[in-house]
Amino acid sequence: MRKNFTDVDLNRSVGNLLRLGVILSVLTSMIGFIKLFLEGFEMPKKYTSLDVGSSSEKVWGQFWHSLCAGEGMAIIQLGILILIITPLMRIVFALIGYLKEKDYVYVVISSIVLAIMAISFFTGYAH
């Protein structure tokens, strides 16, 4: 017989998700740091060459290209990206848990929070 999904199960699942996200982020960043150290990283001599005003598509394209090439800095950035995405996944996990519990007030609240975070993420501008 199948047991019901309770608040304790939801809290345990969310806690495990957050723990896993942080551990994965730290491990990824440490691998990137070691790779960067082995590559012999040097600080840029001219900061104007970093293209501060470049478009979002160019930045993401450059990130994915660097990551596929296995560059240490891109691996560290991936670790930071995992750390940023972890709380977002917590909201998604909680939303699924509230749906299983049939707690529709919290489903609506979690949906609103998720929508606000998505709008902020996709419409945000770097200064």
Side-chain angles (χ1 to χ4, degrees):
M1 185 143 87
R2 191 170 177 215
K3 80 173 198 172
N4 291 336
F5 191 76
T6 64
D7 286 339
V8 174
D9 297 326
L10 177 62
N11 288 335
R12 186 173 297 125
S13 297
V14 168
N16 288 337
L17 173 75
L18 293 172
R19 195 172 300 113
L20 178 68
V22 170
I23 290 170
L24 190 61
S25 172
V26 168
L27 288 176
T28 305
S29 297
M30 288 300 295
I31 290 168
F33 177 75
I34 292 168
K35 180 96 169 76
L36 187 68
F37 181 74
L38 294 175
E39 290 171 354
F41 178 73
E42 292 181 16
M43 294 299 289
K45 295 188 179 23
K46 291 178 66 177
Y47 289 103
T48 56
S49 66
L50 292 177
D51 271 341
V52 176
S54 59
S55 70
S56 163
E57 294 85 17
K58 186 176 178 183
V59 170
W60 281 106
Q62 185 178 6
F63 167 70
W64 289 116
H65 178 71
S66 299
L67 188 61
C68 291
E71 294 179 12
M73 186 60 77
I75 297 172
I76 292 171
Q77 290 171 342
L78 177 65
I80 293 170
L81 191 61
I82 291 170
L83 189 63
I84 291 170
I85 289 174
T86 300
L88 182 66
M89 292 308 298
R90 183 245 185 265
I91 295 170
V92 171
F93 245 61
L95 181 64
I96 293 169
Y98 294 141
L99 282 170
K100 282 187 169 186
E101 288 181 350
K102 298 180 181 175
D103 193 349
Y104 297 113
V105 172
Y106 284 110
V107 168
V108 170
I109 292 170
S110 295
S111 299
I112 291 170
V113 170
L114 190 60
I116 289 170
M117 288 185 73
I119 290 168
S120 298
F121 182 76
F122 289 115
T123 63
Y125 297 101
H127 298 287

